[in-house]
Amino acid sequence: MSQKVGKNNNKVYRLVLTGGPCGGKTTGQSRLCTFFENLGWKVYRVPETATILMGGGVKWTDLNEDEAYRFQENLIKTMLQIENTFFDLAASCRKNCLVICDRGIMDASAYLKPEQWERMKKDNNWNEIDIRDSRYNQVLHLVSAANGAEAFYHTENHRTRHEGIDLAKRLDQLTSQAWVGHPYYDIIDNSTDFERKVVRMIAAACNRLGLEAGDRLSLDSHKRKFLVATLPDDLAYPQFQDFIVVHDYLVTPNQRMQARVRRRGQNGNWTYTHTIRRPEVNNESPELKMQISIREYELLMAQKDSHRYTVFKKRRCFLWNNQYFQMDIYEEPCHARCRGLIILETYTTLKGEDLKLPDFLNIVKEVTNDRQYSMYNLSRIDDEAQNSVREAKLAQIASIKEAAPAVNGFSDEVLTNGVDS
C-alpha cells in the first residue's frame, strides 16, 4: 500500500475511518488503536470535527441554506487544520505511526448539493486529487447497521445521532459514494456478525499495508480480476469516477524484481506512485508502494525499461452492492496486446461465486491468476517488436550518414551505440 515516510524514516499511514450512522466507527477506532499499538506503532486519533462543532450547540435544522453552506466550508477548513496538526506530529515521530481520522474531508461533501461542492472547491482552490486521493493512504467505510443489520440500529445514548433508519441508509449511501475514486478504498459491510466485522476492518488495513501481523486474523483479502467483453453505456453504471492512469516499468538489477512508476490523474491533477515488487516467496510477491513527488517521478523515469511499453488506461471506479470496483479500460496510445482490453478488479475475502459481480457487465471469465493478463506481461515488447525498433534505429543512422557525410568520420560502433539499449 502507498504510504508516506516521516522525518526519521518512519512509516506514516493516514487512514480514514468513515461510514453511516451506527456503523461501528467508535469501537472500530478503539480496536485499530489497540491492535497497532501492540505491534509497536504510535497511533494518533483525529477527532471528528463535526461532532466537536455540533456539540457546541450548532443544530443543523436551525441553519438556512447559506448558513449551512458556510458552516460546511468552515468545518472543512477546521478539519484540514486539525488533521495537519496530527500529520505533522506523525512525520516527526520516531516510531512507525498510524493516524486514524474519524471521517475525512470528503465526508463533508456528502452534505452538500453537487453544485455547492463544485462552488466550494473553486472558491477555495481545492481539487479532489489532493483532498481525497493524495491526503489519505486508505479509506475504510463501515456500513451502517441500518443497511443489512437493521435489528441492531439504534440512536439511544448518542448525543448527536438522531437519524431514523431510512435517513441513516441514505446518509450511508452518500458518504460511501463521496469516497469513490480513492485508489485504496474498502467497504466493510454487515455480512457477518459485528465482531467479525471489526476483525475484517483490521485485516483490511493490515492487508493494504502488507503487514504479516494480518495473517493472525485468518482473513485472506486479495485482488480478483475479471475479463470484461464490452464497455456498456455510461448510464448502466451507478455513479462513477474516471481517471487517467499511466504506468512505466523501470530497469532493475534483479530480473526477478519488478519496479514501476505510476501517474494517476483527473482534470489535470495528478498523484505519483513508485512500486517495487520483490521476488516471489511462498507463492506471493510482496509489494512496497510509496507516494512520490513529481520531481521524484521525473528522476525515476530516467530509469525506464526500454524493453517494455508504457501502459495507458482509463480507470473507472464505482460502488455496486456494497463492493468497490475498479475497471481498467486500455486506451490509445496503446500497443496491440492491450488494445480493447477491459479488466475489472476488486479486493475481497470472498471466493468463487460468493462474490457477486455487477449485473450490467458482460463478464467473460476470471483472470486473477492468469499471467497473460498481468500488466507486467502486457507491457512486454516481444522479440519481433524489439527487432523492428532496432531496424528503425539503424535505418535512421544510415539516413543521417547519407544526409551528412561528415558523420562518416565516426565509426559504426559509435553511431550504433545505444541501438540495443
Side-chain angles (χ1 to χ4, degrees):
M1 168 57 212
S2 177
Q3 55 193 291
K4 299 181 184 296
V5 178
K7 297 174 183 176
N8 297 303
N9 204 33
N10 60 310
K11 292 179 182 178
V12 176
Y13 199 67
R14 304 174 178 180
L15 185 149
V16 172
L17 199 56
T18 183
C22 196
K25 283 197 302 100
T26 302
T27 302
Q29 184 180 115
S30 176
R31 293 280 293 275
L32 266 174
C33 182
T34 300
F35 186 89
F36 275 84
E37 285 178 341
N38 287 338
L39 296 180
W41 287 51
K42 173 65 179 176
V43 180
Y44 287 115
R45 290 180 283 185
V46 183
E48 184 180 9
T49 307
T51 299
I52 295 172
L53 297 181
M54 298 185 78
V58 177
K59 291 186 178 180
W60 193 257
T61 53
D62 291 344
L63 306 180
N64 62 36
E65 185 170 320
D66 184 64
E67 289 173 331
Y69 176 89
R70 295 301 172 193
F71 176 78
Q72 286 296 93
E73 185 175 39
N74 283 307
L75 185 152
I76 293 173
K77 291 178 179 178
T78 304
M79 187 184 298
L80 287 166
Q81 185 55 59
I82 293 174
E83 287 180 353
N84 287 342
T85 300
F86 285 94
F87 293 166
D88 285 347
L89 285 170
S92 62
C93 188
R94 296 192 176 277
K95 296 181 178 181
N96 290 333
C97 194
L98 173 68
V99 183
I100 305 172
C101 299
D102 190 340
R103 300 199 180 279
I105 303 302
M106 296 306 296
D107 283 280
S109 73
Y111 294 85
L112 293 165
K113 297 175 182 177
E115 61 272 18
Q116 290 178 317
W117 178 232
E118 292 302 317
R119 172 189 161 197
M120 191 177 294
K121 286 190 296 181
K122 184 178 180 180
D123 288 349
N124 292 279
N125 197 28
W126 296 332
N127 71 77
E128 291 176 358
I129 295 296
D130 289 338
I131 61 177
R132 180 191 61 213
D133 303 348
S134 299
R135 189 169 181 82
Y136 311 102
N137 300 111
Q138 184 182 5
V139 179
L140 290 170
H141 179 95
L142 298 178
V143 176
S144 170
N147 186 1
E150 290 82 357
F152 297 94
Y153 182 78
H154 61 86
T155 59
E156 297 86 1
N157 302 319
H158 196 288
R159 64 190 177 115
T160 60
R161 182 182 301 149
H162 57 273
E163 302 89 350
I165 196 165
D166 290 336
L167 179 57
K169 286 181 180 180
R170 176 63 178 155
L171 292 175
D172 187 82
Q173 292 167 356
L174 288 171
T175 54
S176 64
Q177 190 63 48
W179 289 100
V180 168
H182 193 282
Y184 306 104
Y185 183 25
D186 293 278
I187 308 290
I188 313 298
D189 64 16
N190 295 304
S191 57
T192 61
D193 61 33
F194 184 71
E195 175 59 27
R196 195 69 170 164
K197 181 180 182 179
V198 172
V199 171
R200 285 159 51 215
M201 176 203 66
I202 299 172
C206 290
N207 287 329
R208 293 288 193 183
L209 263 168
L211 295 179
E212 293 181 2
D215 295 343
R216 74 181 70 165
L217 302 172
S218 302
L219 285 172
D220 180 25
S221 178
H222 61 286
K223 183 191 291 183
R224 292 182 64 181
K225 299 166 60 177
F226 302 86
L227 180 64
V228 180
T230 56
L231 192 64
D233 187 273
D234 287 357
L235 295 176
Y237 298 84
Q239 291 176 278
F240 62 85
Q241 294 274 348
D242 280 347
F243 299 84
I244 301 300
V245 182
V246 183
H247 290 273
D248 283 286
Y249 280 90
L250 309 178
V251 174
T252 58
N254 183 342
Q255 290 187 347
R256 296 176 60 210
M257 179 181 291
Q258 299 176 20
R260 66 178 185 267
V261 288
R262 179 189 78 179
R263 59 187 176 99
R264 180 182 188 268
Q266 188 181 59
N267 301 322
N269 301 296
W270 300 90
T271 60
Y272 303 90
T273 307
H274 180 207
T275 301
I276 298 174
R277 174 172 285 187
R278 299 186 180 93
E280 190 171 283
V281 177
N282 297 327
N283 297 319
E284 292 187 3
S285 299
E287 281 191 349
L288 174 64
K289 294 187 180 183
M290 299 297 297
Q291 196 167 320
I292 58 175
S293 67
I294 183 173
R295 176 169 173 76
E296 290 169 321
Y297 172 83
E298 290 170 345
L299 289 171
L300 286 167
M301 279 294 288
Q303 303 171 31
K304 185 181 183 308
D305 189 345
S306 63
H307 294 83
R308 299 200 170 268
Y309 293 106
T310 297
V311 177
F312 297 88
K313 301 186 268 189
K314 177 166 72 176
R315 173 161 290 179
R316 178 158 294 179
C317 305
F318 61 93
L319 285 168
W320 187 82
N321 198 28
N322 280 333
Q323 185 73 29
Y324 189 51
F325 291 94
Q326 298 185 124
M327 190 163 69
D328 287 338
I329 306 155
Y330 288 77
E331 295 193 324
E332 300 287 354
C334 181
H335 61 90
R337 194 182 294 115
C338 295
R339 197 163 296 135
L341 193 62
I342 306 172
I343 301 289
L344 179 74
E345 63 180 48
T346 188
Y347 270 86
T348 181
T349 59
L350 299 174
K351 296 179 173 63
E353 295 182 358
D354 290 340
L355 174 63
K356 302 303 179 186
L357 298 171
D359 55 13
F360 56 86
L361 295 178
N362 184 1
I363 306 293
V364 178
K365 61 179 179 178
E366 182 164 4
V367 295
T368 300
N369 298 312
D370 189 338
R371 296 197 175 187
Q372 176 184 349
Y373 295 98
S374 74
M375 193 169 62
Y376 190 68
N377 180 66
L378 291 170
S379 69
R380 177 175 50 83
I381 300 178
D382 56 32
D383 293 339
E384 183 178 345
Q386 287 277 24
N387 290 335
S388 297
V389 171
R390 188 176 192 278
E391 289 171 5
K393 287 183 178 180
L394 290 172
Q396 184 180 24
I397 290 168
S399 175
I400 292 172
K401 290 175 68 176
E402 184 177 349
V407 176
N408 287 313
F410 294 98
S411 68
D412 285 346
E413 181 182 357
V414 171
L415 286 170
T416 57
N417 182 35
V419 165
D420 294 316
S421 65

